Amino acid sequence: MKYGYYPGCSLERNAIAYQQSTMAIAKPLGIEFIEVEDWNCCGATEYFAIDALAAYALVGRNLALASQQKLNGDRNQLVAPCSACFLNLYKTDHYMAEDNKLNANVNEALAAGGLHYDPGTVKVRHLLDIIVNDIGYEAIAERVTKPLFNLRVAPYYGCMIVRPASIESFDNPEYPTSLDKLTHSLGAEVVDFPLKAHCCGGHMTQISENTALELIRRLLKNAADYDADMIVTLCPMCQLNLDAYQENVNKHFGTNFHIPVLYFTQLMGLAFGLSANNLGLGKEFINAKPALDKISSEPLKKQRRKKRPPKETLPMPTMPEES
Amino acid sequence: MTEERIGVYVCHCGTNIAGTVDVEEVSKWAGEKLKKDGVVVSRDYKFMCSSLGQELIQADIKEKSLNRVVVAACSPHLHEKTFRTACQKADMNPYLCEMVSIREQVSWVHTDKRVATEKAKALISGGVLRVAKDEPLEAIHVPINPATLIVGAGIAGIQAALEIADSGFPVYLVERDSSIGGHMAQFDKTFPTLDCAACILTPKMVDAGDHPNITLLTLSEIEQVDGYVGNFTVTIRKGARYVKEDVCTGCGICIEKCPIKVIDTNFEAGLGYRKAIYRNFPQAIPKYPAIDTEHCTYFLHGKCKACQLFCPTQPNSIDFEQQDEVIRIEVGNIILATGYDLFNSRRIPQYGYGRLANVFTSLEFERMCNAAGPTEGRVFLRDGITQPKTVGIIHCVGSRDKHYNNYCSVICCMQSLKFAHLVKERTGAEVYEFYIDMRTAFKDYDEFYQRVLQEGVNFIRGRVAEATDAARLPGEEGKLIIQAEDTLIGKQRRIPVDMVILSAGLEPRADSEEVAKKFGISCSSNGFFIEKHPKLDPISTLTEGIFIAGACQGPKDIPASVTQGAAAAARVLGRIQSKELALEPIRASVIEERCSGCRICNDLCPFNAITFNEELNVTNINQALCQGCGTCVAACPSGAISGTQFSDEQILAQLDGILSLPINSGKVKTLESVPA
Amino acid sequence: METNLQTSRTPTFYDEVIRDTPGGDPNLEMCIQCGTCGGSCPSGADMDHTPRNLFAMINAGMKEDVLRSNSPWYCVSCYYCMVRCPQEIHITDIMYTLKRMAIKEGLYRESSASEAPGFSETFIHYVENYGRSFELGLATWHHLRYHPINAIRMASTMGLELLRKGRMDLTPTRIKNMPQLKKILKKAKAIGGTT
């Protein structure tokens, strides 16, 4: 399967492990990524605060290039692994379609550079979306040679992959489950992580560090309360904040968290039996090795049969999957 | 043929029409310019529908020997009957009176007086040419079958059934569930008086069950509705109960002995269990239990039969061979009282229902408070033994939200206040109510709010953002935390509680669209059945003979449901007592010599009025069944079907009239477009 | 503090906010003051006014008070408010609009988040000149400007570690067709306004 690919600035450096592991798992999954030629920054959350039209035009240039280069033919699907890039590309396309004036203005700006973009011509998708929906959990499970038995993983989605919601959103904006199911298909034990779609602090590390540290602390505390061995994520900003700022959190709050934060592609690579070197492992601040050492080759024996609840217990509501 | 002598009457409707249309000018114009088309008099009047206005027309009919009348006023929906009756009283055939809508179609949709005036003239010109082609008609009289079908035996349906049955007329009361009573039977107390719901409902249920004029059909669904007002034929599927109603004494031994226990997601709202042979509650009407074949061991695996074994009656009441029964009944009128479904709180994941054990829905909490419910009326956490010390009640769950239901569910504020009172009364717990707006309209409701305020309940004005088990601050460990903005102080607050109650909204029944289609009525965009008029006729529908009552028409509480049930019954009783009904003589008829026998129209008739005569190879239309909808008229490729009052001749004449005005010949250029 | 409450919402600040928020109707007039936004906001505790409160202030025409608020600068763009708003108000987008207006009017300087726009501006400096963001330069410049001590701490701990792990460049990368991007951005700014 061929896809257009927009790595975004973070994957070039800070999230190099995400880039390496994405490329590493692409081959066994039969995915070919064709990078948009001469792409530029998506503007993150910053450009929109200064000049809206310039920001939309900045993103528009990427869409125009992707549309022009027809990276995977008529499907023209553009994959972004970074949630902020994904949102900016997706939102620009969507807003240009919704708002005629914005569409006209963005195209007037693009024309100055000899470009044009018709909203709707490029379909923007997040890396996780194509992996779980185009490849599928079963196909992924089939590729697993070294299941991640006994590793307790908290799947962390952050914000911008699931919000703002649209009709086309591939997962629930409040309680997404795709990464949970993916992690499960790799053999790991999935933590039902209540804060899985809460904010990592975003750029507040730069603007008001105390605000950011508190948001990071909430996530780490919740993962620790749920006995997670590690957090798995899909966004460079989330990874950076939870990983690189973990020590700052410990200093600031007198806590003692040591929860490694890896990209889901890294866990997939490990489960596929790929070499750790090709997956960017070791680039994390909080060393993931002790957690990864917990992985056992056999699933742990089912811990004692579920105790029958006492007879007074009232039944829990049935959930859609069960009923 | 006598010469046409037409009178034109232009109504001011106060300023409703006269504010935008120059009515005097229109009237004067019609009197002069339409003289050639047979107009002998044209007048304008402030309120044509008033007695004086009607008398004006009647006087002209007599003095000026009018034989046709055109009234230019409001929509025929409102006053066609008024003017036709007025003409009839003056010895003119009422169907020779035409209405032209210059209010809904002109003054209310235009702002430019000149343009509106010209458009009014055009429409009147069309009306005049058309009325000349009208034929005198006689109303069709149909007898009314005195029996009534009521669908849904909740409080609205029961009330309607008792009103009609007490007046001496037969009622078929059809209920989908195994017993009657509806949602009200699930409740413990009713606001604002805190009457015990069962104490006030069960006497009515018993009455309905015993009434000689009521035929109760439970576990039953409507399969098909044929016929028309006064003469409906309804096919009902009565589901097998697997218990013989003529022998069963309702002793309940079978229930006791049944080894299969399942979660009761219906009557107990998922909070309690029932057996595979069950009765919803001890006072259920009818008293006979029913077997749930999805869980019964005998139906699943062919053995067990414990119920049969222990049944003490002679002959045995359990009948595993019982089959569904298809029953056909004839009724004159139908009342739909199909009630509501509770909003599915799982759709709002941030409130944790289904994931967090101690989040309960309003219906679960009702069952918990009910003395006959799973906890025998004690307020416990999900473990069934611990009393909560703090309880949070969340209003507007699934209501007033564009993502779910955009409307206010009406009952939730009062219901939540009732819950707060019950929690206080039974546990003494600290209670927090999270609300957007406190809506306590209607008699004695606000007084109840005052009472709950006095009881020391905490009110936080803010819609809840989330309910979570993710502790963040000291004191939150092991609790559920409700996070909301306290909008009255403008700060975010986190309230740790032991129990959360979601005041879930009311929704149309999941199959309301399907049911509406079966009965030939419509649903509004939010799915509730549409009434004929939102203010003046909330219990009728646009289909003659079909009435609606209770929450199927929109969210409402018990008093409002009872009122509507009684009102619908009164309407039906009026119909029954008049013994026959005059129907509009608007019918389609086949011009046999033109019919090619292609049968295109045969399957289109929504009223099953069309049959095909194989022998003559022509289509026939049953004049009693035909409702004059015109579908077949439009579909006929040979122009062989003509609609009374909508003949080609009449419509073409009307168009000629409209098009004869300069407004349509390019001389008036500024005709604004009518808003869509 | 004295505030002149505007008696009519037209034609002023209220309309400007709507006009300057691209992406279709932001539905601002639909606010029912329920507080779902303020309740959902992860950084709500640090804001001087909740979003709900800001919307009421916008409606009352309290332009200066709104633009002096630190709230838009504490918005982390998590979009929780936007997906939960029962009236489908484009809250996050409106926060961006308020940031732009606060910069234009210079009122952000009077808020407790006065240094926030500086971070965005530094970020944009790199984007406008290289076409890519540059984390090292961004962090260093931003911190040198506002927190020299932090900058040293950053450079000595986190920065070094990022460099050591190959997660940070020493020099920015430039896209090939920078002239094209510059033309596009220049034109966009010339069209002006925000939409």
Side-chain angles (χ1 to χ4, degrees):
Chain A
M1 254 180 273
K2 275 190 191 178
Y3 293 95
Y5 186 63
Y6 177 88
C9 305
S10 289
L11 270 83
E12 300 260 288
R13 266 303 149 233
N14 154 40
I16 187 78
Y18 196 10
Q19 170 78 345
Q20 288 172 346
S21 53
T22 299
M23 292 305 139
I25 59 159
K27 203 169 167 216
L29 292 175
I31 299 176
E32 193 186 333
F33 289 120
I34 305 156
E35 193 169 318
V36 179
E37 181 139 1
D38 205 38
W39 54 269
N40 54 255
C41 173
C42 75
T45 49
E46 309 314 318
Y47 217 148
F48 292 89
I50 305 290
D51 189 319
L53 185 57
Y56 283 109
L58 180 79
V59 186
R61 180 176 177 270
N62 291 318
L63 291 168
L65 291 176
S67 165
Q68 198 177 55
Q69 294 166 17
K70 280 192 181 278
L71 301 165
N72 62 340
D74 291 335
R75 282 166 66 222
N76 228 338
Q77 303 214 354
L78 184 63
V79 174
C82 166
S83 298
C85 300
F86 161 73
L87 175 64
N88 281 343
L89 290 164
Y90 177 84
K91 194 171 146 180
T92 300
D93 178 54
H94 187 67
Y95 275 11
M96 282 174 75
E98 285 279 298
D99 184 339
N100 291 334
K101 193 174 151 210
L102 179 68
N103 186 15
N105 285 344
V106 169
N107 271 308
E108 194 184 335
L110 289 177
L115 292 173
H116 179 80
Y117 179 67
D118 286 324
T121 44
V122 171
K123 186 165 168 48
V124 181
R125 300 179 68 189
H126 193 278
L127 178 64
L128 179 66
D129 176 14
I130 65 148
I131 286 186
V132 301
N133 289 314
D134 294 5
I135 308 289
Y137 304 108
E138 276 177 35
I140 290 162
E142 279 169 25
R143 297 265 172 273
V144 173
T145 54
K146 291 192 172 158
L148 309 177
F149 293 139
N150 200 30
L151 184 68
R152 272 181 70 82
V153 177
Y156 178 55
Y157 300 76
C159 311
M160 295 180 175
I161 186 173
V162 284
R163 290 187 299 271
S166 78
I167 315 157
E168 292 176 24
S169 293
F170 75 97
D171 211 336
N172 189 295
E174 290 284 350
Y175 217 75
T177 51
S178 51
L179 184 58
D180 293 55
K181 290 182 212 154
L182 174 66
T183 313
H184 178 75
S185 69
L186 302 177
E189 204 177 314
V190 183
V191 174
D192 186 11
F193 186 37
L195 298 188
K196 57 177 149 182
H198 280 235
C199 175
C200 72
H203 73 180
M204 293 314 283
T205 50
Q206 306 303 309
I207 291 169
S208 168
E209 193 174 350
N210 288 355
T211 304
L213 294 181
E214 165 60 13
L215 298 190
I216 299 167
R217 180 192 75 91
R218 291 175 193 169
L219 296 170
L220 295 172
K221 174 177 178 347
N222 196 223
D225 284 350
Y226 274 72
D227 292 328
D229 295 324
M230 67 161 56
I231 294 171
V232 62
T233 181
L234 39 75
C235 170
M237 177 67 92
C238 298
Q239 201 283 338
L240 182 73
N241 282 3
L242 290 179
D243 181 31
Y245 284 86
Q246 203 166 123
E247 274 316 308
N248 293 21
V249 167
N250 284 337
K251 266 188 217 134
H252 189 81
F253 294 101
T255 48
N256 192 25
F257 298 119
H258 283 285
I259 306 174
V261 187
L262 294 187
Y263 292 104
F264 75 100
T265 44
Q266 292 179 291
L267 281 194
M268 287 178 76
L270 285 173
F272 292 175
L274 305 179
S275 152
N277 294 337
N278 295 338
L279 298 170
L281 281 164
K283 293 201 182 293
E284 65 280 2
F285 276 58
I286 306 295
N287 187 2
K289 195 160 179 304
L292 296 175
D293 286 344
K294 277 192 67 187
I295 297 173
S296 60
S297 53
E298 293 294 324
L300 281 197
K301 295 234 170 62
K302 277 265 178 240
Q303 289 178 345
R304 60 201 152 76
R305 279 197 27 229
K306 250 194 183 169
K307 246 202 338 213
R308 231 189 137 108
K311 66 172 177 25
E312 301 83 24
T313 307
L314 299 165
M316 272 296 281
T318 48
M319 291 303 272
E321 288 92 348
E322 301 160 28
S323 56
Chain B
M1 201 169 141
T2 54
E3 187 198 345
E4 274 99 33
R5 295 182 61 79
I6 304 170
V8 174
Y9 299 89
V10 187
C11 180
H12 295 221
C13 195
T15 55
N16 273 312
I17 296 171
T20 319
V21 173
D22 185 343
V23 282
E24 280 124 24
E25 146 83 9
V26 169
S27 165
K28 205 168 133 233
W29 171 87
E32 288 167 11
K33 301 285 174 178
L34 300 178
K35 212 175 255 174
K36 61 177 171 30
D37 300 312
V39 172
V40 295
V41 59
S42 178
R43 300 183 193 278
D44 63 274
Y45 192 71
K46 199 145 189 105
F47 290 105
M48 208 52 99
C49 60
S50 65
S51 307
L52 293 176
Q54 294 179 50
E55 282 162 17
L56 203 66
I57 300 173
Q58 288 167 327
D60 279 350
I61 293 174
K62 297 229 165 84
E63 288 157 23
K64 299 188 186 292
S65 309
L66 299 185
N67 51 21
R68 285 166 210 250
V69 165
V70 171
V71 183
C74 53
S75 158
H77 251 310
L78 291 145
H79 273 306
E80 189 176 68
K81 195 160 169 247
T82 310
F83 293 113
R84 281 187 172 168
T85 308
C87 291
Q88 190 171 27
K89 281 185 186 156
D91 297 324
M92 199 186 96
N93 185 291
Y95 295 94
L96 298 177
C97 165
E98 280 284 344
M99 275 194 85
V100 170
S101 168
I102 58 165
R103 193 178 71 177
E104 283 80 352
Q105 292 186 6
V106 181
S107 66
W108 280 357
V109 291
H110 294 285
T111 48
D112 183 328
K113 195 161 184 172
R114 191 173 58 98
V115 170
T117 303
E118 290 305 307
K119 184 172 168 187
K121 289 179 188 169
L123 293 178
I124 291 170
S125 163
V128 166
L129 262 60
R130 180 190 170 115
V131 81
K133 306 284 178 192
D134 283 356
E135 306 265 352
L137 300 169
E138 290 303 324
I140 300 173
H141 294 271
V142 293
I144 301 257
N145 185 316
T148 304
L149 165 68
I150 297 175
V151 186
I155 185 60
I158 290 176
Q159 183 69 32
L162 290 174
E163 301 272 357
I164 296 171
D166 284 346
S167 307
F169 297 103
V171 172
Y172 296 95
L173 182 57
V174 174
E175 169 59 45
R176 176 182 277 184
D177 205 347
S178 61
S179 61
I180 63 172
H183 280 109
M184 189 177 169
Q186 294 172 283
F187 304 162
D188 181 51
K189 293 281 190 285
T190 55
F191 60 75
T193 48
L194 299 173
D195 291 290
C196 146
C199 308
I200 56 176
L201 175 66
T202 48
K204 281 184 182 287
M205 286 165 49
V206 171
D207 271 4
D210 290 344
H211 207 293
N213 288 334
I214 296 180
T215 308
L216 195 58
L217 296 166
T218 46
L219 285 173
S220 300
E221 294 270 357
I222 306 298
E223 293 224 311
Q224 202 182 322
V225 182
D226 296 309
Y228 53 96
V229 56
N231 302 278
F232 292 106
T233 304
V234 183
T235 315
I236 301 164
R237 176 171 294 269
K238 185 174 188 293
R241 184 179 279 273
Y242 305 102
V243 171
K244 292 183 197 149
E245 298 181 14
D246 48 346
V247 265
C248 175
T249 60
C251 72
I253 291 175
C254 53
I255 301 174
E256 217 172 279
K257 298 296 179 187
C258 173
I260 300 299
K261 200 168 94 169
V262 294
I263 296 175
D264 181 0
T265 53
N266 175 40
F267 193 77
E268 294 293 4
L271 193 73
Y273 299 89
R274 64 155 165 76
K275 297 295 186 67
I277 183 163
Y278 68 98
R279 179 161 55 197
N280 282 337
F281 55 109
Q283 308 101 306
I285 303 282
K287 62 190 173 189
Y288 326 109
I291 294 180
D292 159 17
T293 55
E294 266 180 52
H295 295 99
C296 169
T297 314
Y298 174 76
F299 281 95
L300 291 174
H301 307 295
K303 48 188 177 215
C304 179
K305 295 193 177 180
C307 47
Q308 198 170 50
L309 210 65
F310 288 98
C311 177
T313 64
Q314 281 301 335
N316 198 294
S317 300
I318 306 292
D319 176 9
F320 293 112
E321 305 307 317
Q322 214 176 62
Q323 298 289 321
D324 287 2
E325 231 179 303
V326 176
I327 302 165
R328 279 166 76 89
I329 58 167
E330 312 263 318
V331 295
N333 292 283
I334 297 174
I335 299 173
L336 297 178
T338 51
Y340 67 91
D341 278 341
L342 194 72
F343 171 78
N344 177 4
S345 299
R346 296 169 185 83
R347 291 176 65 197
I348 307 184
Q350 63 268 37
Y351 290 170
Y353 183 66
R355 207 175 62 76
L356 304 173
N358 292 316
V359 178
F360 295 84
T361 63
S362 36
L363 215 43
E364 280 184 300
F365 189 74
E366 292 280 6
R367 290 311 297 155
M368 191 184 286
C369 289
N370 194 304
T375 59
E376 293 166 342
R378 287 165 298 178
V379 174
F380 285 144
L381 299 183
R382 193 75 68 172
D383 67 5
I385 44 173
T386 314
Q387 271 197 357
K389 293 193 179 65
T390 339
V391 176
I393 301 172
I394 305 181
H395 290 224
C396 300
V397 175
S399 305
R400 301 184 69 193
D401 187 330
K402 287 187 164 42
H403 304 99
Y404 309 106
N405 294 315
N406 203 8
Y407 51 82
C408 166
S409 286
V410 181
I411 59 119
C412 320
C413 281
M414 282 303 289
Q415 167 189 271
S416 301
L417 291 170
K418 175 183 80 178
F419 290 167
H421 168 83
L422 292 176
V423 170
K424 279 261 171 218
E425 174 191 270
R426 296 184 189 188
T427 67
E430 199 67 33
V431 181
Y432 291 86
E433 295 249 3
F434 296 85
Y435 68 100
I436 309 177
D437 297 300
M438 191 57 75
R439 294 181 171 177
T440 53
F442 301 117
K443 191 176 176 181
D444 294 338
Y445 286 10
D446 207 64
E447 288 86 333
F448 187 71
Y449 177 27
Q450 306 290 331
R451 172 179 173 175
V452 175
L453 280 167
Q454 207 161 39
E455 287 173 357
V457 170
N458 302 287
F459 288 88
I460 296 182
R461 192 202 169 279
R463 185 169 170 272
V464 170
E466 57 195 56
T468 177
D469 59 340
R472 180 201 293 175
L473 305 167
E476 294 183 349
E477 304 289 341
K479 297 274 189 177
L480 295 174
I481 304 103
I482 299 179
Q483 189 175 312
E485 178 184 347
D486 186 330
T487 61
L488 300 180
I489 53 172
K491 294 278 176 228
Q492 201 175 77
R493 290 179 74 180
R494 284 168 68 85
I495 311 288
V497 298
D498 300 315
M499 176 189 252
V500 174
I501 305 170
L502 305 178
S503 240
L506 312 191
E507 286 189 333
R509 289 283 186 194
D511 60 352
S512 67
E513 294 276 348
E514 212 178 297
V515 170
K517 217 171 143 191
K518 220 171 250 177
F519 288 91
I521 62 168
S522 311
C523 294
S524 58
S525 58
N526 55 29
F528 291 105
F529 297 150
I530 297 184
E531 60 286 321
K532 191 168 184 177
H533 191 283
K535 296 169 206 84
L536 301 178
D537 205 350
I539 50 145
S540 297
T541 65
L542 284 170
T543 303
E544 284 283 344
I546 313 268
F547 302 89
I548 50 180
C552 64
Q553 181 247 358
K556 56 180 60 66
D557 58 15
I558 293 167
S561 299
V562 170
T563 308
Q564 278 201 341
R571 190 68 66 81
V572 168
L573 285 170
R575 289 284 176 80
I576 296 171
Q577 271 156 350
S578 66
K579 294 198 176 61
E580 65 167 29
L581 188 69
L583 295 184
E584 287 282 280
I586 298 167
R587 294 292 179 262
S589 56
V590 178
I591 306 156
E592 291 192 358
E593 48 273 29
R594 282 204 213 156
C595 177
S596 70
C598 73
R599 307 181 71 159
I600 285 175
C601 62
N602 288 196
D603 293 332
L604 295 176
C605 179
F607 306 99
N608 298 319
I610 301 183
T611 52
F612 190 70
N613 185 331
E614 300 274 357
E615 218 167 285
L616 299 172
N617 195 39
V618 290
T619 284
N620 294 134
I621 295 172
N622 180 330
Q623 295 295 298
L625 292 177
C626 175
Q627 300 284 299
C629 73
T631 308
C632 57
V633 181
C636 180
S638 331
I641 310 179
S642 178
T644 323
Q645 282 246 323
F646 288 93
S647 69
D648 288 353
E649 216 188 355
Q650 284 167 303
I651 294 194
L652 290 172
Q654 186 175 12
L655 285 174
D656 277 344
I658 293 171
L659 295 172
S660 67
L661 265 276
I663 197 172
N664 293 306
S665 58
K667 285 181 191 155
V668 176
K669 291 213 172 90
T670 53
L671 187 64
E672 338 151 272
S673 60
V674 178
Chain C
M1 180 177 60
E2 280 203 23
T3 308
N4 275 330
L5 293 188
Q6 195 176 305
T7 47
S8 153
R9 30 154 105 143
T10 50
T12 52
F13 184 41
Y14 181 85
D15 298 309
E16 280 174 46
V17 173
I18 293 174
R19 190 194 62 209
D20 291 352
T21 307
D25 187 351
N27 299 326
L28 182 59
E29 70 284 3
M30 298 303 290
C31 179
I32 58 167
Q33 292 285 306
C34 69
T36 310
C37 46
S40 300
C41 186
S43 40
D46 295 325
M47 291 181 171
D48 48 16
H49 299 289
T50 59
R52 172 201 61 80
N53 201 346
L54 283 182
F55 298 157
M57 291 161 74
I58 293 171
N59 201 359
M62 299 164 69
K63 180 171 181 173
E64 296 201 351
D65 300 76
V66 170
L67 297 185
R68 254 196 296 263
S69 164
N70 70 8
S71 306
W73 303 105
Y74 276 90
C75 169
V76 290
S77 300
C78 77
Y79 291 90
Y80 257 128
C81 52
M82 199 154 146
V83 301
R84 286 178 180 171
C85 175
Q87 296 286 76
E88 298 182 340
I89 300 171
H90 295 192
I91 300 170
T92 314
D93 292 332
I94 292 172
M95 289 297 160
Y96 278 117
T97 303
L98 296 179
K99 288 187 205 188
R100 294 191 295 270
M101 288 179 150
I103 293 174
K104 199 170 125 200
E105 304 282 334
L107 287 168
Y108 71 93
R109 287 189 215 99
E110 295 171 35
S111 90
S112 65
S114 56
E115 62 200 59
F119 176 72
S120 298
E121 277 158 4
T122 313
F123 183 97
I124 283 162
H125 166 79
Y126 285 101
V127 173
E128 288 181 345
N129 287 291
Y130 296 89
R132 296 283 174 87
S133 70
F134 176 45
E135 285 149 349
L136 178 63
L138 176 60
T140 315
W141 270 112
H142 180 68
H143 283 277
L144 276 178
R145 190 164 156 196
Y146 295 104
H147 310 281
I149 297 167
N150 252 6
I152 295 161
R153 201 191 72 193
M154 273 283 296
S156 61
T157 55
M158 193 178 299
L160 275 183
E161 189 65 9
L162 283 167
L163 275 175
R164 200 175 63 75
K165 289 191 181 288
R167 289 176 66 171
M168 198 190 264
D169 281 322
L170 283 170
T171 51
T173 316
R174 194 190 296 269
I175 64 167
K176 279 186 239 155
N177 202 347
M178 199 54 219
Q180 181 190 47
L181 179 60
K182 283 199 166 178
K183 274 185 219 155
I184 293 171
L185 296 179
K186 194 175 157 203
K187 183 71 188 177
K189 287 176 184 172
I191 296 168
T194 34
T195 48

